[in-house]
């Protein structure tokens, strides 16, 4: 049970501003003639809560995302060795993680940077998953890799740079595994939901959204974590939304507070970078927790869930019923 | 006692990236000659936790900000009438607010918009403060208004557009009342702390920082609430930091989740717009809560504080001592 | 005569997007009821070309800005010594500059940085102006300095950080000298024009706008020079618009190409930092030209004006008449 | 011969700021121990002018881009019918365009928008190209389409959303046709050059860069055209750089002034949307010129080239030699 139990959900779905007014309205405005404006569904028809009020629960290898509890996915930025991923899996499992993350194919700004170990990393990930019992989330970069990655992973990640890679989205729309769709660094919320719409309208209803920070003028953090955007997206769509505090902040010391805030604002899960030895990581070491730091964070987060549960039991929470109801909801995903 | 009790504070103070490398380093880089880089204090010397590790507690009309508890300031965007501000004061006091907010001088993008009622509004604010017992925070726009506003208010707000209005900052550095310094919509964290440095170095040590959203490409929310920035600023400075979820989001339906997240990330307080009848507000009605919505939000926030306190009592919190210590800390403000 | 002679001016004034739809339209959209949308003047009524199609010419100490020719203002970021400003004035005059710039009061991010020499610098500026015959533009930071600065300067600059310093704008609206209003680093075009509206509606019709770069995610240049914004503003308003390529780019090597582009897009003038010895400048040395570089740039710019004039004489230009007409237009400024 | 003849090229190549200081420097800064900073090549080794001072000329179906003249590519956003593209080709050829643009595969934000006519459109493009003699530039969205598009097009466009689609870049690195790489809407200049580096290091040396506006807070224009960025990129790389004023501004009335400014700042070409009837366009009608407007723009641009040439002949230009030299340079592209 999660602290989100305390948040009564609004029944009204808000509207996004239109970036461009419909041509007819604009023309009428110029001509000073009357115009009839008719209420329309938002452009992300299938992702919208207006057309689909019931929340979607995504099943990733047996773990339910969006069912009311907090789902924590943890692991290294890149799979660097068989030992590294097996040890990480063991440590994050012990700390209470629900899923294992790890990159086999890495999108890198420079062609000269480490690009990931590919298929070998996928196999190590699958082995670590079997040993730990943790389902795996990993990124897929190319349409032609979708089949191979689907064999080894339980949740297929679309990275931020690929959010509008339509060839990849179209291929994933017919994949047999659920998809984790990261928000692009300069994508508006509407563009993000329309990217999800490519997956939904193409046949894959099992979609999880992931906020990972947007690009702004501020350079003190790697990106700017848009948590109010997470709250807004939860109002606009029935899809689960998780948060990646590691990429959003780029700083180890901000991962824990950002995680707590993400839970408080209603995130359905967290995607956290954990490395056995962040100082030696081949990528993103500065934002990775070590296993001890991760265990401390999990302790805090689970204590909050317990406290929230106690509040509900004591009648302090106003939305306890909705949580019970939601956790009993049957899957509405694709089989 | 606040939910921040759960967060052990890091003892290491992070460093901001330098936007411009020191000239000597850059020149040496070109010349391929050795260079000695010496550790320097951050440019915001007096605001930095490196030089002043003990947290500052600001006393605004008897309310302590930064002492460990959550300080909630609530009220209308603009003071519109004597009745409106008196009723609002009564309602937000009943709901548990700690301070009353209300604008007498309004900075408006257009010269044709409502500019505030000025001195009359200040007097009504002072009256509502006496009746309710709530200290007042209100904006001061001009150096020449500082004396008048100081007579009627307990905390002098510098609005986001004036964060780098140095004539105003210099005048406020010698004011007898504490200052609430809002972050500019395009101000980096370093620029914000340097604006605070104008106040501190000029003689006013009683400064509260307020994050109110930064301007980004996203238009679905009025601004982008930079909560990870709040966590970072709390690590960089000893000054209290509060959050304005109303201006940050611009949407009534996001004020409550943003407030919960702000508390979870360690904000020392909240600045929330409440209007007896948001639909009739002369400014910012779309982001104002009505008194009933505000009371609901306060119920949730106070329940969380209680739950956090219970956790601490039960030994689940790791930082309980620090909170007790902090709340016993004597004022380190200006006398 | 300027190269802008080649650009026929559109007679249609474009419309800015509304950031927030009028409430009635939004409500009607929800209710699916008809709504009448009536054409309205833009919110910057007096600055708009719709209500004032004739271009404003601003007279700054005898130099006409907006009259068809390119007005170049040059000089150091800060006035550092009597000798420095006198030498700079002599050199930029010799190179063909029309006005002298130099900062007496400097808005600085840090209170510990050089803040300008104040009144002494104003007097040296006035002396250099008399000797060189170049009118002076300099920044005024505070309402209380307006009278003093007006005594010594011909054009009063409002810096980017003060674009929405309404106390300062209100005071300048009653000043006896014209105003140069810089765009704020995160100001939209509409906000910029509304800041001008404070000056115009308050009584000062002699306003020049200055684009100096906006703040974006890109850090390779100090700011992002919004030249298409300059073209749009020229269509929206009758006020002259100049460009500051020094602050916009922050790099000496980009000042010349940015200046050429600014002229090509229709800027009425340029504000360029020139320092006798940029390497020793107390502020902004990296973006300052030395007098030789400035003279080279002026040579290129004036050659282009001549070439443009030759084209017109040879019948290649389509807008020659409008230029002649414009340069004969009488002042429409404030008397 | 182009107006760029007037711009003497700097021989010094500037440096981009490092977004993240090298770890050793940062560590040394903390430890106050000496550190040796050694000059390094920029991370975009093959794209850099430091390692490759001679300018690259790209040959697209016989048209040389980067050879000194202005290359204008024009045509509709989308190929909508055989007649539409044939008529457009005829009209833009008559107006003086050098290449024909037109979209067969369209990346669209919404899955419900017109997605392009695909292979049929490619065939019509090829037919229009044969009839008009204009080489074709068109976008390729997916690695699997590269062979088909290469059969019909002379220059393969990577759209802004795909700038970091590494699967696509890797495939294009082995293509037999040159590539036009658009800057991503939130890509820094360094990221853009590193994306080019994927193409260069993978074997395709025929790369043209295209600035098309970046995403900022400003919504008055569709994007913010970063022309100073174009000047900087021309200093950093030997690759040709062109500008797309249509997408950058999103407004028909700004295309001409933005084109003039792009030429003035040193762009090697322009990519302009032209539609026989913009009001009936299936996509981007608001930013498309009609053939008459395009012909007017071409007249102005060519007149400027002539004037610039006349200046050179008369000895007013200082860089005439370099242009002659450059236009005699042999291809350094891939054979």
């Amino acid at each position: 049970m999660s602290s989100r139990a305390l948040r009564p959900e609004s029944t009204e779905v808000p509207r996004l501003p239109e970036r461009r007014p419909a041509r007819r309205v604009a023309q009428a405005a110029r001509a000073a003639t009357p115009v009839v404006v008719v209420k329309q569904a938002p452009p992300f028809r299938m992702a919208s809560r207006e057309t689909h009020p019931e929340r979607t629960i995504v099943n990733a290898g047996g773990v339910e995302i969006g069912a009311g509890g907090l789902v924590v996915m943890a692991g290294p930025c890149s799979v660097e060795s068989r030992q590294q991923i097996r040890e990480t899996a063991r440590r994050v499992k012990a700390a209470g993680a629900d899923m294992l993350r790890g990159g086999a194919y890495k999108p890198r700004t420079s062609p000269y940077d480490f690009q990931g170990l590919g298929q070998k990393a996928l196999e190590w990930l699958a082995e670590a998953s079997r040993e730990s019992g943790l389902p795996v989330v990993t990124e897929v970069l190319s349409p032609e890799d979708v089949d191979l990655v689907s064999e080894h992973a339980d949740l297929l990640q679309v990275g931020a740079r690929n959010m509008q890679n339509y060839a990849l989205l179209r291929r994933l729309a017919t994949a047999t595994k659920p998809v984790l769709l990261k928000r692009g660094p300069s994508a508006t919320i509407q563009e993000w939901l329309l990217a999800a719409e490519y997956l939904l309208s193409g046949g894959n209803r099992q979609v999880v959204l992931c906020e990972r920070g947007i690009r702004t003028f501020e350079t003190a953090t790697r990106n700017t974590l848009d948590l109010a955007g997470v709250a807004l997206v939860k109002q606009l769509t029935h899809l689960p939304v998780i948060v990646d505090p590691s990429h959003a902040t780029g700083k180890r010391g901000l991962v824990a507070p950002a995680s707590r805030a993400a839970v408080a604002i209603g995130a359905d899960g967290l995607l956290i970078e954990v490395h056995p030895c962040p100082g030696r990581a081949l990528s993103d070491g500065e934002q990775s927790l070590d296993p001890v730091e991760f265990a401390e964070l999990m302790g805090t987060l689970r204590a909050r869930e317990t406290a929230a549960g106690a509040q509900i039991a004591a009648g302090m929470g106003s939305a306890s019923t909705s949580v019970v109801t939601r956790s009993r909801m049957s899957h509405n995903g694709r089989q």
Side-chain angles (χ1 to χ4, degrees), chain A residues 315-329:
Chain A
M316 285 188 286
S318 56
S320 53
T321 347
S322 74
V323 163
V324 175
T325 312
R326 238 187 301 148
S327 63
R328 284 184 191 150
M329 274 177 12

Side-chain angles (χ1 to χ4, degrees), chain A residues 46-49 51-59 64-67 200 203-207 237-240 326 328-335:
Chain A
M46 295 181 68
S48 170
R49 270 184 72 199
T51 53
H52 187 303
E54 202 169 277
R55 293 224 165 269
T56 287
I57 297 175
V58 170
N59 186 316
E64 293 193 343
I65 309 166
L200 300 173
N204 194 339
R205 305 279 179 96
Q206 292 270 286
V207 175
T237 183
H238 51 87
L239 299 172
R326 238 187 301 148
R328 284 184 191 150
M329 274 177 12
S330 61
H331 275 207
N332 62 352
R334 54 200 296 279
Q335 252 72 37

Side-chain angles (χ1 to χ4, degrees), chain A residues 219-273:
Chain A
T219 55
T221 46
R222 184 171 178 179
N223 292 284
T224 297
L225 176 58
D226 185 11
L227 281 184
V230 170
L232 180 58
V233 170
K234 292 275 296 181
Q235 293 172 4
L236 290 167
T237 183
H238 51 87
L239 299 172
V241 186
I242 72 169
V243 167
D244 175 348
S246 306
H247 283 88
T249 66
K251 282 184 185 317
R252 185 177 307 126
L254 295 177
V255 170
S259 296
R260 287 192 301 265
V263 172
I265 216 160
D268 295 293
L270 297 167
L271 184 65
I272 297 176
E273 290 194 349

Side-chain angles (χ1 to χ4, degrees), chain A residues 176-226:
Chain A
T176 55
K177 293 288 172 68
V179 175
L180 180 72
L181 180 66
K182 285 200 157 186
R183 181 180 182 182
S186 68
T188 63
I189 284 174
Q190 176 150 322
E191 290 167 345
W192 189 18
L193 291 171
L194 283 167
E197 196 80 5
Y198 270 89
L199 297 166
L200 300 173
S201 67
N204 194 339
R205 305 279 179 96
Q206 292 270 286
V207 175
V208 181
L209 301 170
C210 180
E211 158 68 21
R212 43 74 74 199
I214 57 174
R215 180 164 275 188
T216 71
F217 64 84
E218 177 60 82
T219 55
T221 46
R222 184 171 178 179
N223 292 284
T224 297
L225 176 58
D226 185 11

